[in-house]
Amino acid sequence: MVTLCYLLACLVAFELLMPIQLRVFPGVESDSSLLFLPHGVKVLAAWLLGWRASIALFPGVFLVFLYFSGASVLEPPRIAAMAIAVFVPSAVFHLIKLAGWDLSPYSGRRPRWASIMFAGFLVSVVSSVLSNLAFQSPPQDYFVYLIGDFFGLFFLSLILMFLFRALRKHQMR
């Protein structure tokens, strides 16, 4: 399910949102999306599944890299970027837990969305720095990456909250 959600989020980000972004912001010369929904999938998967999210994310991340990179998917910068995409979200949530701030979803406990958003921001910072170093990207890409990740997580969370609220309302009928 995580792989399918990741692939769907990538499809929306790259095939629907990126063409709009390129028209609205023609001066932003980056391959990064200003609304990167897959970051939301990675963060929410890491929050809900812990380390198992890395296993669940890998097929989707690999397929997206393969789609965009072709045979060069196995070049060292791309392997590094795939590892970063797959492992950093779970690692950040684990480090946050080790620091005494447990965000794990427990039965009967309401999610602390502001804390999850902050954790997503930390995931984005770490991922951005490591990925952009791996690809030796210009400094502008760091900021586009951070903006896209933050808004991707925010809007995906918002969409899911409204969706689940509507489903609960429908079930009560």
Side-chain angles (χ1 to χ4, degrees):
M1 183 58 79
V2 172
T3 294
L4 290 175
C5 290
Y6 186 81
L7 292 172
L8 180 61
C10 285
L11 180 71
V12 170
F14 293 117
E15 299 301 326
L16 178 67
L17 298 174
M18 281 294 285
I20 294 170
Q21 174 183 314
L22 293 173
R23 286 180 177 224
V24 175
F25 301 107
V28 178
E29 295 178 21
S30 174
D31 293 331
S32 301
S33 172
L34 291 172
L35 183 57
F36 193 63
L37 298 173
H39 178 70
V41 174
K42 292 186 296 185
V43 169
L44 294 175
W47 170 60
L48 291 169
L49 301 174
W51 284 105
R52 296 173 303 199
S54 297
I55 296 166
L57 285 167
F58 177 74
V61 169
F62 179 78
L63 288 172
V64 169
F65 271 80
L66 181 63
Y67 175 76
F68 284 108
S69 308
S72 67
V73 72
L74 297 177
E75 291 178 358
R78 286 186 175 67
I79 291 173
M82 284 187 283
I84 291 162
V86 167
F87 292 115
V88 166
S90 297
V92 167
F93 274 94
H94 185 70
L95 290 172
I96 287 171
K97 187 174 185 176
L98 288 177
W101 190 21
D102 188 6
L103 299 177
S104 302
Y106 294 114
S107 180
R109 182 169 126 187
R110 296 184 63 95
R112 296 180 295 199
W113 292 111
S115 299
I116 294 165
M117 292 297 292
F118 181 72
F121 176 74
L122 292 178
V123 170
S124 180
V125 168
V126 172
S127 297
S128 173
V129 168
L130 293 176
S131 294
N132 284 301
L133 285 174
F135 285 115
Q136 299 175 343
S137 303
Q140 156 188 325
D141 284 0
Y142 287 74
F143 297 108
V144 174
Y145 195 101
L146 288 170
I147 290 167
D149 283 356
F150 179 79
F151 284 118
L153 173 59
F154 178 78
F155 283 105
L156 182 64
S157 298
L158 199 61
I159 290 165
L160 290 173
M161 281 192 279
F162 284 123
L163 176 68
F164 291 137
R165 185 174 293 161
L167 288 173
R168 280 193 306 270
K169 197 174 196 178
H170 180 69
Q171 286 178 342
M172 295 176 117
R173 292 180 186 187

